[in-house]
Amino acid sequence: MSTHDRLHLGLTRRHFFSRTKYGIASAALSSLLNIPSTRAEPTDTDLSQIRHFAPKAKRAIYLFAAGAPSQLDLLDYKPKMKSYFDKELPESVRRGQRLTTMTSGQARFPIAPSIYKFKQYGPSGAWISELLPYTAKMANDIAIVKTVWTEAINHDPAITYITTGDQLPGKASLGAWLNYGLGTANDNLPAFVVMTPRWSAKRDAQALYARLWGNGFLPSKFQGVALRSQGDPVLYLSNPSGVSQKTRRRMLDTLNKINQQQFETTQDSEIQTRISQYEMAYRMQISVPELTSLSDEPESTFKLYGPDSRQPGTFASSCLLARRMTERGVRFVQVFHRGWDHHGQLTRDLPLQCRDIDQPAYALVQDLKQRGLLDDTLVIWGGEFGRTTYCQGKLTEESYGRDHHPRNFCIWMAGGGIQGGLVHGQTDDFSYNITDKPVHVRDLNATILHCLGMNHSNLTFPFQGLDQRLTGIDAKARIIHELLS
Amino acid sequence: MTFIPIGQSNIRSAILIFIFGTLVTSWNMAALSAETELQFDRDIRTILSKNCFSCHGPDSSKRKAQLRLDRQDGIFSKRDDHAIVVPGDSTQSALFQRLISEESSRRMPPVDSGKELTPQQIHLIRKWIDQGAPWQTHWSLTTPQRYSLPTVTQKDWPRNSIDYFVLAQLEKIGLPPSPEADRRSLIRRLYLDLTGLPPESHEVEAFVNDPSENAYGSLVDHLLDSPYYGEHMARYWLDIVRYGDTHGLHLDNYREMWPYRDWIVSAFNQNMPFDQFTIEQLAGDLLPDPTLQQQIASGFNRCNVTTSEGGSIKEEVYVRNVVDRVKAFGTIFMGLTTGCAVCHDHKYDPFSMKDFYQLFAFFNNIDGEPLDGNRKDHAPVVRVPQIEHQQQLQQFQKQKNQILSEQSIRAEGADKDCKQWILKTQTLLQDNSPLLIGLLGHYPIDKRDTPELINLVNPEQKVPFHGSTSWTTGISREAIQLGKEGFANLGDIGNFERTQPFSLGAWIKTNGNQEGSLIARIDHEHGNRGYEFTVEKQKIGLNLIHLGPENTIQVRTKENILSPDSWTHVFVTYDGSRSAQGVRFFSNGQPVSSEIQKDQLRGTTINQVPLTLGGRGDGTASFEGEIDQLRIYGRSVPESLISQLANLDPVREILEIKAEQHTRDQFTTLKKQFLERIDTRYIELVNELQTIDKREKEVTSRIPTTLVFREQSELRPAYILVRGQYDQKGDPVFRESPYALPPMNSELPRNRLGLAKWLLTEEHPLMARVTVNRFWQQCFGRGLVNTSEDFGIQGERPSHPQLLDWLALEFREKGWNIKSLMRLFLTSATYRQSSDTNRQQQNLDPENKLLSRAPRFRLDAEVLRDQALAISGLLIRKSGGPSVKPPQPKGIWNAVGYTASDTANFKADVGDNIYRRSVYTFWKRTAPPPTMNLFDAPSRESCSIRRERTNTPLQALAMLNEVQFFEAARHLAEQSIRNGGVSEQQTLIYMFHRATSRFPNAQEIEALFSLYQSNLTEFQSDSESAMAIVSSGQLPPDKTLETASLASWTMVANVLLNLDEVVTRN
């Protein structure tokens, strides 16, 4: 990045977004420069400053499997384990690796081979479990990374780590960083939207935390906006009962008029920003319901995404909404699907979870492709860590559970910037250690930023005397070039 | 600068600077001008720290070429053939030469570092060297100095010392201060800044019309005395200390901590000096004989987030908790980002890992578990009785004293009755005693029986114990303690048919967690035929079995009757009726209710197996515990005798002695038994006492708790943790202050109390500066040091360094008096300026760093909500107590909550609680209240010293539509119609005045009135909408008001509550 870029970045980031003369974001800028504020894809004024190369992806969708799906039963095929049924995990494999206190007291660590059948798909010959038949169909489109790893061993720190770059609360989330770095492409919708659909496994599900899409030290305008499946899709979107859009318009006209007078006295440009924010709120009242109403979708859409897609609050409908948002220029959509924490009864719950996500995720990728959006939309699926090859609790031929395993887990990526149809990395026969091409969660995030045209070491924000980064202040993060198209 | 080519990028930079007009701040503008003497600390260090320190700074592990540019000895160090800096000669100084080197391999910073100096920065370094390279310590690490007031030209402007410092700088760049704001703006500003609430209309007018010279000063004093002052001040502190009502991690369950919040409110209201405020929070528990309040204050150290996630490794969580406390300590009291030094020496500040872990050692000794157990009262805690609890407890104590005195009166007069009882009871020990009727077996189980068990009914029959048994003290002489394997085979006794009445009884003592057969005659080879007397944790039961598990009678006690580890006399009778109804249980002689589980006994219970004590005889259902005085009757013993049995056994030994031979002690024992077991009056008193004890316990359990800090007695050793890893212990460390700061006086105790006192010493460069800066930020919108959370080398330098020092000294020397400090701020001419701005100010001081006008900023989340409630008259001004839950949209909590969390489901309060001030709003840290969160309130998961102030459409939606904001509009409309006056114009003016503290101008009246009219016309023909509008919120609308009119005024009020002027601190 050249000096002038950095200088300008300093200006745009510090002043542009803080409460100063030039107020907030492009809405304010556009009003000052007399740019019409509704536009499909705005001039990338912000982006050119922070990007040092042409991005492959302009936006991203992250399908998060919260609770940590079992890589052993989905994407990391370990046929040798069949002969290890109920045998002890060799110490040569475990190598004193620390365990959670949920299983560290177990007298034995018997191997639980996956009961699911795997077949090879696509040019890379990726092994994919029978639980993911639709995912298998798109083996050509996705890059499977089998060797993501993390240091965190429990859910709260791990999910906080992968989404904010730190195990402890207080940092900005990936989405907030993207929002900060990319800016908005549609003034009528939030740039970063989060959905938390319901799940089918009936057990207690791990919690989510607002911090996972929070702004941390970044200004709060960068936090994710939850798109809700009950009540208003966006908080406080609807007018109070009895207030029509016409009444609201009249009320805003009066408000703007008096605020404008106030501006003339005080000369505080923040008032102009406020007026434009109220106007954007008004536009959102129209654009958000238009976004969430699926009435204009043809029958073929619902067929593609599956019957659940008609039910608000399902993973399928979230995927469909994600596509609709992508079309409208929402920069980042993150869907947190819970219920993947299978310490016991994995064989009962994992198929239910897979059924939730398999067809919709496939549909999303295909739908984006059909519409020519996949080339510049990055899609990611994955959880916060993996699960153990050894059984937690009772092991039978049909039933087992798996504890937390941070040393390797699988994710897949597709679309903008990613080369489809490949498998990255290798683990040992037990799916317990990485034998080739490790990808730390920081590397994953650096790669995501890269696909979106940002250098993770340059995307910084000064806080507490440090140039904060998603990938940590001084830890090394690597872009995984092998994955890139 | 000629030798540095100015490329296109520089021209563009210059243009950008011109366009945005914000980058060049006053001092570096001064620095660029030729005549100024450059200072290392002011002009040079930041350049070096940003570009060089990561390799040539404090972090020893990353240091290259053994060169340190953050220290004087490093900067002026000499190498073999050159020096880093030669004062006065940049051509001989490697520092400069390497910056401009043509050779890319020699040029600093290295290309791959991603760092690059601007030509201006390189020029500054050169100039500084050529000027003689004067060196200074980083400003915030030097002791504050007392500066004399600068001289100013505009002598009539300053009102107090602050103004001299401010004016002097303004005059330097030729910018005049702004005129004083009008009184309406001032009163609103003062109210909002000091109480977080707007003034009432009459207060505004009283102030505007107050002719007295000291009108302003008295208003400030009045507000400083307001109880709302403490609530408002506390709010900032709660952000700082990351106070929340939940644990913050994983389950994020409820944490009971509000007494600490109330302590903060009250400390500010009492104007507790800030030194005491600091000591009590950091170390209240270490003060001599700490009061309850001082212990509550120590909860400061417990505000960090905690977890109890399954699978967590205790030591790891323990270290995280301590690290969090140390970081909070550094940020809050010293403005230092100590957290960097958890894993390595600080990159920029002179703060090493050793420094960090030395501080760690101070916080390393909590007397409690690291995992919170998902409990609201994660120990250590204290109970905090509220007034109502204190009153109740005192009342109980009084009643108890009364009963105790009645007991002793009764005891003194009971000798005669007692003696009669002794004589009567002794007859029960005689041969013709009714207790002997139907008695088949009586096993006293005393040691003299050893090694075998004797049945007094048939003393010839002796049976041995098997397995693990030992003797122990019984209810009467010794008893047997049976381990898991222990049992005795009593032989062919008690072979009862289902039609045969029988009774079984004994004294037993268990840990309350045992399950097994006390006595059993069960034939497991024939469907468990027979019977057994069972113990089920704290209940007892009887099973009569023909063919298990269905063809049986199964009964057990409904309530728990066995207190763990104490003797209970258990007894069961069966009347031979073949029905479960025929089974009765007794505990200590008293009948207890039972619960029938099966009642289907068809067929005999006779079997051919022996009776077993302590299990079923086949190794199953074994009983563990102590047994004494076992009795087996072939009849259903009447209730009166059972109670006599229970009363007799404990004193059996004494009763066997003739009455006239009893010693005094023996008589006392008997009398105790008589009083507690037999004497109706005395028992009545005992029962009353128990009732009160129970109620007392119940009240005590309702007393709120709050988390506190307490040291464990043995000091935990502390170590440097290699790379911050909890399990990688390095060198041991001891409690010491950081090296770069003044040493801790040897007389100070090496604990948190000593640490707090060290902060407060005169030499401490940071504590007072950091503190006054934060209060300044509160009143002036930004700190004199804008990065109020970071006074380190990477932080911003103060805009008014001399003023900051002057205030720090003033604050400390005048006794850390917060109200005085606030008063000083608020009575300055600087504070009293108008916030209107003009082109000159925007050009010369765009960010208002130089304070050429009063700041204008959007009110904080809490103030916005409280203000709307106050303007509309909905606000309930009750202070203190548990946090409250105003309404929020459905699903905010359970969209994220762990399903088993006790805060997974939100239920709003009803009634007054929803209208209370936001400082009392329940704060769930993983899903904070949405109206707070949208307006930049932090999640309270980590310390937050300053909030951002953003302006977003989501905020607009909340202000327009959120149910409480809209109810406030409706309520304001009602108030205005009722109280404004008869005409519509009066209604409007009243409403406008309440919202803005001023009267509307003609244009405003026109605009608002025309809105009212258009709405009115519409609502008159659309009564349904009008009705819906007036019915919003919790309170029902005023029925006496005309609906269409109220709805129209509501929309006008909705405008007013959204006015920029109203949501802004002007």
Side-chain angles (χ1 to χ4, degrees), chain B residues 377-671:
Chain B
D377 53 349
H378 176 201
V381 296
V382 289
R383 290 198 175 278
V384 189
Q386 307 295 292
I387 292 169
E388 73 260 26
H389 304 124
Q390 281 165 347
Q391 284 168 345
Q392 282 170 313
L393 292 178
Q394 275 166 13
Q395 184 61 27
F396 290 145
Q397 199 49 52
K398 227 166 97 185
Q399 289 170 349
K400 275 161 75 173
N401 290 343
Q402 173 69 24
I403 293 167
L404 287 171
S405 92
E406 282 178 41
Q407 273 184 342
S408 65
I409 291 168
R410 170 58 195 155
E412 275 168 38
D415 281 7
K416 199 173 134 211
D417 292 345
C418 178
K419 279 173 187 156
Q420 274 179 6
W421 168 73
I422 292 170
L423 292 175
K424 205 176 118 199
T425 310
Q426 281 176 326
T427 63
L428 290 174
L429 299 173
Q430 290 164 3
D431 291 348
N432 57 356
S433 163
L435 291 177
L436 300 179
I437 302 172
L439 185 66
L440 303 177
H442 176 201
Y443 301 86
I445 317 187
D446 290 333
K447 204 170 180 176
R448 60 183 175 193
D449 305 345
T450 190
E452 289 160 322
L453 204 49
I454 295 173
N455 177 358
L456 292 182
V457 178
N458 184 2
E460 302 308 311
Q461 200 184 39
K462 292 181 180 177
V463 294
F465 282 112
H466 298 282
S468 52
T469 56
S470 57
W471 289 105
T472 168
T473 311
I475 196 79
S476 157
R477 299 200 180 88
E478 298 78 24
I480 195 75
Q481 171 147 27
L482 295 179
K484 199 164 173 52
E485 317 292 325
F487 73 99
N489 180 339
L490 303 181
D492 184 16
I493 179 174
N495 194 3
F496 299 125
E497 177 52 284
R498 59 183 175 141
T499 49
Q500 162 79 54
F502 66 90
S503 306
L504 305 165
W507 292 86
I508 62 170
K509 184 159 131 183
T510 73
N511 63 11
N513 217 9
Q514 291 302 325
E515 297 194 35
S517 285
L518 183 61
I519 313 160
R521 189 171 169 132
I522 291 282
D523 182 355
H524 67 273
E525 283 176 4
H526 293 93
N528 286 333
R529 182 169 302 161
Y531 65 88
E532 62 183 334
F533 188 15
T534 62
V535 171
E536 298 164 28
K537 296 195 170 160
Q538 296 184 44
K539 296 178 179 173
I540 53 171
L542 183 72
N543 300 332
L544 290 159
I545 305 169
H546 173 67
L547 185 64
E550 290 311 319
N551 191 345
T552 63
I553 286 175
Q554 195 178 344
V555 193
R556 64 172 184 175
T557 58
K558 207 176 218 158
E559 313 295 336
N560 287 336
I561 57 162
L562 303 176
S563 319
D565 304 318
S566 65
W567 285 106
T568 309
H569 184 246
V570 295
F571 209 85
V572 58
T573 65
Y574 170 64
D575 65 359
S577 64
R578 288 169 292 176
S579 149
Q581 304 285 352
V583 178
R584 297 182 71 203
F585 295 105
F586 298 83
S587 163
N588 289 331
Q590 301 300 312
V592 289
S593 52
S594 51
E595 195 173 73
I596 296 171
Q597 289 166 323
K598 280 181 191 142
D599 194 3
Q600 291 274 334
L601 183 62
R602 291 181 305 270
T604 183
T605 50
I606 294 281
N607 64 22
Q608 302 311 320
V609 298
L611 186 66
T612 309
L613 173 65
R616 281 180 172 181
D618 62 349
T620 64
S622 63
F623 167 87
E624 282 183 78
E626 297 169 44
I627 308 180
D628 202 3
Q629 301 294 340
L630 172 68
R631 290 182 177 88
I632 301 159
Y633 285 93
R635 66 160 178 154
S636 176
V637 179
E639 190 176 326
S640 61
L641 285 180
I642 298 171
S643 96
Q644 280 173 331
L645 261 181
N647 295 333
L648 182 147
D649 280 343
V651 287
R652 190 185 184 88
E653 273 178 86
I654 306 174
L655 285 174
E656 281 167 358
I657 304 163
K658 281 183 179 161
E660 51 277 19
Q661 289 171 11
H662 286 153
T663 65
R664 191 156 185 81
D665 281 354
Q666 285 170 333
F667 182 72
T668 308
T669 308
L670 288 174
K671 191 167 148 190

Side-chain angles (χ1 to χ4, degrees), chain A residues 19 155 211 220 274 338, chain B residues 309 344 856 897 936 941 1060:
Chain A
R19 193 205 145 271
H155 295 286
R211 78 178 88 101
S220 67
R274 177 150 293 116
R338 299 156 74 185
Chain B
E309 180 169 352
H344 51 72
R856 210 178 170 275
D936 302 304
E941 290 167 303
D1060 179 81

Side-chain angles (χ1 to χ4, degrees), chain A residues 91-112:
Chain A
E91 186 51 45
S92 60
V93 174
R94 187 183 150 193
R95 290 184 228 146
Q97 150 71 5
R98 69 182 186 144
L99 306 174
T100 77
T101 55
M102 283 176 290
T103 51
S104 56
Q106 273 184 201
R108 295 187 59 223
F109 298 101
I111 303 280

Side-chain angles (χ1 to χ4, degrees), chain A residues 26 50 78 84 101 128 133 172 174 236 239 245 248-249 256 270 283 368 374 377 389 396 409 414:
Chain A
S26 52
I50 201 155
K78 293 300 167 194
Y84 274 84
T101 55
I128 297 177
L174 168 65
Y236 314 120
N239 289 323
Q245 208 53 10
R248 176 57 77 210
R249 182 67 263 164
N256 291 350
E270 187 72 359
R283 293 197 303 275
L368 291 171
L374 190 60
T377 306
T389 184
T396 69
F409 61 104

Side-chain angles (χ1 to χ4, degrees), chain A residues 37-173:
Chain A
S37 46
T38 35
R39 57 183 189 269
E41 190 82 14
T43 51
D44 282 352
T45 331
D46 306 317
L47 313 185
S48 64
Q49 307 308 328
I50 201 155
R51 289 178 172 171
H52 54 300
F53 54 85
K56 285 279 170 58
K58 290 182 175 162
R59 56 195 96 76
I61 300 170
Y62 201 139
L63 308 174
F64 202 98
S70 165
Q71 77 283 11
L72 283 146
D73 297 286
L74 300 178
L75 297 168
D76 201 10
Y77 181 45
K78 293 300 167 194
K80 283 200 187 156
M81 290 301 96
K82 284 277 181 256
S83 59
Y84 274 84
F85 175 78
D86 204 20
K87 288 188 185 150
E88 198 70 12
L89 172 68
E91 186 51 45
S92 60
V93 174
R94 187 183 150 193
R95 290 184 228 146
Q97 150 71 5
R98 69 182 186 144
L99 306 174
T100 77
T101 55
M102 283 176 290
T103 51
S104 56
Q106 273 184 201
R108 295 187 59 223
F109 298 101
I111 303 280
S114 176
I115 61 165
Y116 299 106
K117 296 193 186 73
F118 281 68
K119 269 199 227 151
Q120 279 183 295
Y121 298 89
S124 61
W127 289 96
I128 297 177
S129 158
E130 60 181 329
L131 289 174
L132 300 172
Y134 282 91
T135 308
K137 274 164 68 180
M138 59 169 173
N140 272 334
D141 299 318
I142 62 175
I144 296 171
V145 184
K146 298 209 302 192
T147 48
V148 189
W149 68 282
T150 175
E151 289 91 357
I153 198 171
N154 285 302
H155 295 286
D156 185 328
I159 197 168
T160 306
Y161 197 11
I162 195 167
T163 54
T164 74
D166 199 303
Q167 299 192 37
L168 291 174
K171 299 291 197 290
S173 64

